Each structure stands twice: as structure tokens, then as C-alpha cells.
Amino acid sequence: MIRLFASDMDGTLLNDKGYISDRTINAVKKLQKHGIHFIVNTGRDYRAAKRELDAASLSCDMICHSGACTYDVHGNGFHIASLPKSIAKQILTVFERHGAFADIATEYGKTSITDKNTLLSYYKNEVFPAVEQEGKVYFRTWHDFAMMVSKVRFFEGKESLLGCETPIYKISTTFFDQDKINALKDDIHGIDQLHAVSTSKNDLEITHVNAGVSQSLCKPSN
């Protein structure tokens, strides 16, 4: 008997236009009506994932930040696996050595230790070409992209972020050049206590090793 159904968002729950279709909405609601626990497991942060679910009038538990944070249907976190600052510093140092942009996820959502122009250049030269190659839709419109950029929390360099109490959930990057991403992966694997995965041939997502056990800690909603 099926008791749990888990789904990724991008390229799975969301269609090729970046929406949850009516057919998928009805299928999810049918699962829930029959007592099957439905959960979203995504690399997105909670706010971004919830925005898509709210637009589809769906409610469920969510595993976010590639396993680093788990939330119940009411938005309460019950499993958080943040990166210790000492490990985050090692990761960011390796990123600097490879010229990789650090796409950082914290409790504030998307966070950057560079300025806005550097972030925009990263999306233009690395993310958008890679997304187009993969056939995925991360931003339906330029307005959606602009809204994302407007909500980024900027810190003045890595020491500013590392020196505050803000938890770091995930550090990721995208290189359109596969040789660059492969070289970065090889270097990152030398750091202990990490869970490093790629959702495509062009990216790398890094969380604490405990983030990989989030799926086993899911609990049904009351």
C-alpha cells in the first residue's frame, strides 16, 4: 500500500512552462483525499516552493534546500541541517579558487556575498545558458526574475556572512562550462561532512551531510 508520494518541483511537479498544471493539481488532491501523504522535495527555499503551491491551492509538507530544511504543512521546521560556519568557510574558499559564484541559501532565502552586478552577470553568463540547455524553466517572466533579485540578501564579503549568526543551509553554483564544474567537484570532495550532489551536468549543490537523511525524518501532517 502506498503511504507516501514525494515529488521534486522543477521538471517534475512543474510543467515545461513552469506551472503546476490542473491535471497535476487534481492528481495530488486525489492522493491526499485517499490518505496518501504527499510531500515536495526540492532544492528551492521554502518561500519559493510555497509560492508555487499556493498558486495551485495545494498544501503539503516540504523538504527544501536539497534536504537541509524540512517543514510541515503549516511552515514549522522540524529538521534543520545547516552548514557549520567553519565548513562554509572552506567551501567558499574553494569557490573563490575556481572563480565560482556562491549561490547561498540562508534563513533569509537567497543570499549573496557579492554585489548585485556580479549576481546579474552570473545569471546571464552561467545560469541562463545552462537552464536553456537543460530545457527547464526557473523564471517564467523577467518580472519573476526581477522579483527574485529584489529579495536577495546581500552581505559585504564572506567574512560578513560567516561572522553573523545567520544559518547557512546550502551553497550551490552553476558553470555552463562542464570542465569548470567538474574541477570544482573534485576539489570540494576533499572537504569532510558534506553532501554534494548535482541536479544536472552544469551545477553543484552542497549541504551538510545530515541533510541527506531528511527524507527518513518526514512525519505526516496532523
Side-chain angles (χ1 to χ4, degrees):
M1 176 181 176
I2 298 175
R3 296 185 179 181
L4 172 68
F5 192 102
S7 173
D8 188 12
M9 292 201 80
D10 297 291
T12 307
L13 194 66
L14 303 180
N15 61 20
D16 58 5
K17 291 181 172 39
Y19 294 93
I20 304 177
S21 69
D22 289 341
R23 180 182 179 184
T24 299
I25 293 170
N26 291 333
V28 171
K29 289 184 175 180
K30 186 175 181 179
L31 288 173
Q32 294 175 324
K33 182 178 180 180
H34 285 81
I36 297 174
H37 187 54
F38 178 81
I39 188 167
V40 163
N41 188 348
T42 179
R44 295 186 177 214
D45 63 59
Y46 175 79
R47 296 175 186 84
K50 190 174 188 301
R51 182 175 62 248
E52 300 299 339
L53 292 173
D54 287 347
S57 299
L58 293 175
S59 298
C60 65
D61 295 352
M62 286 184 275
I63 300 173
C64 299
H65 298 301
S66 303
C69 304
T70 307
Y71 303 91
D72 67 17
V73 68
H74 305 294
N76 301 309
F78 58 87
H79 176 70
I80 307 293
S82 59
L83 285 162
K85 293 298 177 67
S86 59
I87 294 179
K89 183 175 183 178
Q90 294 181 62
I91 297 168
L92 294 175
T93 298
V94 172
F95 272 44
E96 289 175 349
R97 187 156 63 240
H98 288 267
F101 181 91
D103 198 344
I104 305 168
T106 71
E107 65 180 355
Y108 296 113
K110 190 174 289 292
T111 301
S112 177
I113 55 174
T114 64
D115 57 35
K116 182 178 178 180
N117 286 336
T118 302
L119 180 142
L120 293 175
S121 177
Y122 164 67
Y123 273 88
K124 176 183 178 181
N125 298 320
E126 304 291 353
V127 178
F128 290 149
V131 168
E132 183 177 359
Q133 185 181 72
E134 296 163 21
K136 292 182 178 180
V137 178
Y138 288 167
F139 303 102
R140 291 186 291 266
T141 66
W142 283 109
H143 175 72
D144 290 341
F145 175 66
M147 284 296 293
M148 181 279 291
V149 172
S150 71
K151 294 178 180 179
V152 174
R153 176 83 178 250
F154 290 94
F155 283 80
E156 295 183 2
K158 69 179 180 182
E159 297 303 331
S160 178
L161 173 60
L162 296 171
C164 72
E165 296 182 357
T166 303
I168 298 174
Y169 299 143
K170 182 174 74 169
I171 301 175
S172 59
T173 196
T174 295
F175 269 132
F176 185 63
D177 185 331
Q178 293 177 42
D179 290 335
K180 289 183 178 181
I181 200 72
N182 290 333
L184 177 63
K185 289 178 183 178
D186 290 341
D187 213 352
I188 284 295
H189 286 153
I191 303 176
D192 294 331
Q193 301 183 53
L194 298 184
H195 182 65
V197 298
S198 293
T199 62
S200 75
K201 57 188 177 183
N202 297 104
D203 70 15
L204 179 64
E205 299 184 351
I206 305 166
T207 55
H208 189 265
V209 66
N210 289 341
V213 302
S214 293
Q215 291 86 339
S216 64
L217 296 174
C218 297
K219 61 182 180 181
S221 305
N222 293 327

